[in-house]
Amino acid sequence: MNLLLLPGVYAPQDDTEMLAEALREEAPPPGARVLDVGTGSGALALAAARQGAEVTAVDVSRQAVWTARLNAWLSRLPVRIRRGNLFAPVRGRAYDLILANPPYVPAPEDGRGPRGRARAWDAGSDGRLLLDRICRDAPALLRPGGLLLLVHSALSGPDRTLELLRAAGLKAEVVRRRRVPFGPVLRSREDWLRRRGLLGPADDKEELVVIRAERPL
């Protein structure tokens, strides 16, 4: 997919590809209501729209919102794109499928929180700055039988994600795993991650996981 990327907008990578694969496997029926939260470039929103879904995309970044709008316009696909913090713009609505590729990279904390481009990947000292909020708030936005597809790093605690989603009444499991070479962000804090015990002495790849969580009928 050829996408326009404004400065500071997260470029689709392995995590986006994994989530797109999971989306294709689920094959939501035409007219299914899909929410892409943290849309970035809009890649996943456009993939869902190509399958005939009714798609809403949300991002907190102005640059991401404009990027997604431009890509939707260039692709001639009808995607509603809203600016806001996670689920705030869609409170009270319900979806058949929620896609989430949030920031998940553990980062040394300086008391100020992520800023600028780093908002696309930095997620606090445990990588769960937004993951816990998604696990808490997403279940209420799913219709009966609805699905959440969520991708993040094994460094940020997939077991914790499964625990929270199951506690919310969803049937949750890891459906995809992939080991990928360290990107620039992980390489830049490799020593810090090893000191914290998140990486072993010989680890040279990051494991990504896709979690599928279903609300019972």
Side-chain angles (χ1 to χ4, degrees), residues 7 9 12-13 21 26 56 59 71 84 121 127 129 152 170 174 197 206:
V9 177
Q13 299 182 47
E21 290 169 357
E26 294 298 338
T56 300
D59 205 293
N71 283 321
W121 52 78
L129 185 66
H152 68 82
L170 304 187
V174 174
E206 177 188 20

Side-chain angles (χ1 to χ4, degrees), residues 3 12 37 42 56 60 67 69 71 78-79 88 92 99 103 123-125 139 142 147 152 163 175 182-183 210 216-217:
L3 295 170
V37 61
T56 300
V60 72
T67 296
R69 286 175 177 167
N71 283 321
V79 178
L99 301 166
S125 61
L142 289 174
L147 300 176
H152 68 82
E163 177 187 348
V175 293
F182 292 162
V210 173
L217 291 169

Side-chain angles (χ1 to χ4, degrees), residues 119-138:
R119 290 188 303 173
W121 52 78
D122 281 355
S125 61
D126 60 0
R128 300 198 60 87
L129 185 66
L130 297 184
L131 282 169
D132 286 343
R133 290 174 58 193
I134 291 171
C135 292
R136 180 191 69 206
D137 296 341

Side-chain angles (χ1 to χ4, degrees), residues 23 36 49 55 57 63 70 81-82 88 104-105 119 126 130 132 147-148 156 163 185 196 204:
L23 170 66
D36 179 22
V55 184
Q63 292 96 323
L70 286 168
I81 301 163
R82 302 287 183 264
Y104 53 69
V105 179
R119 290 188 303 173
D126 60 0
L130 297 184
D132 286 343
L147 300 176
L148 167 67
S156 15
E163 177 187 348
V185 175
R196 291 202 60 217
D204 61 357

Side-chain angles (χ1 to χ4, degrees), residues 181-191:
F182 292 162
V185 175
L186 251 63
R187 287 198 301 269
S188 72
R189 61 189 62 157
E190 189 174 337
D191 290 343

Side-chain angles (χ1 to χ4, degrees), residues 10-20 35-41 43-44 58-59 86 98-105 119-121 130-131 134 148-153 208-210:
Y10 182 81
Q13 299 182 47
D14 292 275
D15 48 7
T16 307
E17 180 182 345
M18 290 175 67
L19 208 51
L35 173 65
D36 179 22
V37 61
T39 193
S41 66
L44 292 166
V58 175
D59 205 293
L86 285 183
I98 296 175
L99 301 166
N101 182 3
Y104 53 69
V105 179
R119 290 188 303 173
W121 52 78
L130 297 184
L131 282 169
I134 291 171
L148 167 67
L149 294 175
L150 169 65
V151 64
H152 68 82
S153 172
L208 302 176
V209 300
V210 173

